[in-house]
Amino acid sequence: MIALGAGLWLGKRLWGSSGTSAPLYHEITFRRGEIRSARFAPDGQTILYSASWQGSPVETFSARQGTVESRSLGLVGAELLGVSSTGEMALSLGSHPIGTWVNVGTLARAPLAGGAPRPILENVESADWSPDGTSLAVVRNVNGRERLEYPVGKVLYETSGGWISYPRVSPKGDYIAFIDHSNQGDDGGSIAVVDLAGNKKELTPRLVRHGWARLVGERSGSLVHRQ
């Protein structure tokens, strides 16, 4: 199921003392399977997500808030990584595991309006668009080390034995938020940010479950996966 809203931990941080009501959850999907990723489209009403239903290959779908129907975008084998403000998708083609929690694939771009994905970079784990939709922040594996690059080719942070997940570019494009996992095979990690000069700062202590940390991901709200 895809739910819209933030969980208890994030809710306490953002709304607990402000007097503002926390967002509500709305069920969008009811099928059996695994949801890999989900993003809002630029209109704020359309939800794009990648899922593997009933043992089928991963596929990318579109749904609208207030409905329970989803439409396939015809992108079988393509996993959604991000959606730009200009209506372009970042996709992972041929994603496959290289560790307990890490998958890599070929980064590709494709317009929401339709068209075949255009491959641009190998060995990419995750990605997010810049605010203006012209460039991408990527996490990729190079010689067994994890790199956070923004834009592609400019290394802002590199791990030494750990891994990186859920990179998100700030609304002004001056910071990248991500989850920094200190050990391969361990899903615990700290939420951190790095500026364009490569200065990294941890915002939280180590969280035991990285599923909690993914709640901070979206700029225009939060998308939460639940099985």
Side-chain angles (χ1 to χ4, degrees):
M1 178 182 71
I2 299 178
L4 301 179
L8 178 61
W9 179 82
L10 186 61
K12 287 182 178 180
R13 296 269 178 157
L14 297 182
W15 299 286
S17 59
S18 66
T20 303
S21 298
L24 299 175
Y25 289 94
H26 299 284
E27 297 181 9
I28 302 296
T29 67
F30 299 85
R31 300 172 68 180
R32 291 185 178 274
E34 178 187 4
I35 297 173
R36 302 284 185 87
S37 59
R39 298 288 187 275
F40 286 109
D43 63 10
Q45 300 298 312
T46 303
I47 300 162
L48 303 165
Y49 68 94
S50 294
S52 172
W53 296 130
Q54 282 85 33
S56 298
V58 66
E59 190 171 353
T60 300
F61 300 86
S62 172
R64 297 278 296 179
Q65 292 192 46
T67 71
V68 295
E69 295 182 357
S70 296
R71 176 178 63 89
S72 172
L73 299 184
L75 299 171
V76 178
E79 183 174 335
L80 182 69
L81 298 180
V83 181
S84 75
S85 58
T86 58
E88 190 173 10
M89 294 179 290
L91 302 166
S92 178
L93 308 180
S95 179
H96 59 279
I98 61 169
T100 305
W101 299 97
V102 178
N103 291 296
V104 300
T106 300
L107 178 65
R109 301 170 64 157
L112 277 174
R118 178 170 62 89
I120 58 174
L121 189 65
E122 299 288 338
N123 296 321
V124 171
E125 297 172 24
S126 51
D128 191 38
W129 289 95
S130 62
D132 62 4
T134 61
S135 59
L136 285 155
V138 301
V139 174
R140 63 182 184 134
N141 190 282
V142 179
N143 298 323
R145 297 172 71 93
E146 303 270 298
R147 287 182 177 178
L148 174 60
E149 301 179 6
Y150 179 69
V152 173
K154 180 182 179 181
V155 180
L156 298 182
Y157 176 65
E158 186 175 66
T159 65
S160 57
W163 59 292
I164 300 167
S165 64
Y166 301 104
R168 296 293 184 270
V169 183
S170 70
K172 293 182 179 180
D174 52 353
Y175 285 91
I176 314 297
F178 60 99
I179 305 177
D180 189 15
H181 308 270
S182 57
N183 297 302
Q184 288 282 352
D186 184 358
D187 67 343
S190 301
I191 299 174
V193 295
V194 62
D195 65 19
L196 302 187
N199 299 307
K200 173 181 169 266
K201 179 181 179 181
E202 291 190 356
L203 302 182
T204 71
R206 182 180 181 277
L207 303 174
V208 175
R209 295 178 59 191
H210 81 272
W212 280 44
R214 79 176 68 178
L215 297 173
V216 303
E218 288 294 313
R219 290 188 290 270
S220 57
S222 294
L223 292 174
V224 184
H225 308 181
R226 298 195 306 185
Q227 293 183 337

